[in-house]
Amino acid sequence: MTPVTDAKRYRRSAGLLLFRRTAGPGLEVLLGHMGGPLWAGRDAGGWAIPKGEYGPDETPRDAARREFTEELGVPPPEGDYLPLGDVRLSSGKLVTVWAVEADLDPALTVPGTFTMEWPPHSGVEREFPELDRVAWFTPPIARNKLIVGQIPFLERLLVLLAD
């Protein structure tokens, strides 16, 4: 059994879940499909809330705003940031998310990139988009598309908006 290091045990991530109210479908949330070859063929469970890791010198909310810009290439929206709390993932990472009501045209996004060795063990480093697609979804569709560990944030948003 491999020991879990403090750095891994206490990794933190923060993000923003945008939502909008429309005349047609009603409520929609903005999600991004995770980029890179590992997620290319996966739709259900392959979408995520724009988020990312941060260190001890940054507040979660500041990190969520910074990561939004890094992942989508546009500034985070202004407005009331509604706390959706924390979720501890099976990896041990603690994720904190805020919801904010805003409209964003997915065509305006310019996702950031990451580098990884691909194909594995080839010695070739390739660059991939952090998110290869960004789209609005109604809650029932979003529930199917989201990675499992982030579904609680969608559920919390729905409860918050129902009150």
Side-chain angles (χ1 to χ4, degrees), residues 3-76:
V4 177
T5 64
D6 282 349
K8 186 173 182 177
R9 180 180 303 138
Y10 298 111
R11 285 187 356 211
R12 296 176 152 272
S13 188
L16 298 178
L17 177 58
L18 266 60
F19 68 96
R20 69 181 182 183
R21 301 167 212 255
T22 62
L27 184 69
E28 294 179 313
V29 294
L30 186 76
L31 304 177
H33 185 268
M34 292 184 280
L38 301 177
W39 297 97
R42 189 169 178 181
D43 189 56
W47 293 73
I49 297 166
K51 64 165 191 52
E53 290 188 10
Y54 66 97
D57 296 334
E58 189 173 24
T59 68
R61 184 173 157 160
D62 287 345
R65 291 176 54 82
R66 175 186 51 76
E67 283 292 335
F68 186 89
T69 300
E70 287 180 13
E71 293 214 350
L72 298 178
V74 295

Side-chain angles (χ1 to χ4, degrees), residues 26-152:
L27 184 69
E28 294 179 313
V29 294
L30 186 76
L31 304 177
H33 185 268
M34 292 184 280
L38 301 177
W39 297 97
R42 189 169 178 181
D43 189 56
W47 293 73
I49 297 166
K51 64 165 191 52
E53 290 188 10
Y54 66 97
D57 296 334
E58 189 173 24
T59 68
R61 184 173 157 160
D62 287 345
R65 291 176 54 82
R66 175 186 51 76
E67 283 292 335
F68 186 89
T69 300
E70 287 180 13
E71 293 214 350
L72 298 178
V74 295
E78 297 303 323
D80 292 331
Y81 279 56
L82 309 172
L84 299 179
D86 303 322
V87 169
R88 174 120 10 230
L89 303 180
S90 59
S91 67
K93 182 187 291 186
L94 184 67
V95 180
T96 306
V97 171
W98 285 265
V100 61
E101 187 168 6
D103 200 358
L104 173 70
D105 181 352
L108 299 177
T109 62
V110 183
T113 60
F114 69 96
T115 303
M116 69 180 282
E117 181 182 18
W118 193 260
H121 313 293
S122 67
V124 177
E125 295 285 319
R126 293 190 48 203
E127 194 170 272
F128 299 97
E130 297 233 16
L131 301 173
D132 58 21
R133 290 172 275 163
V134 177
W136 290 98
F137 298 104
T138 61
I141 295 172
R143 192 175 287 110
N144 181 53
K145 296 212 180 258
L146 267 170
I147 60 172
V148 172
Q150 293 182 9
I151 293 172

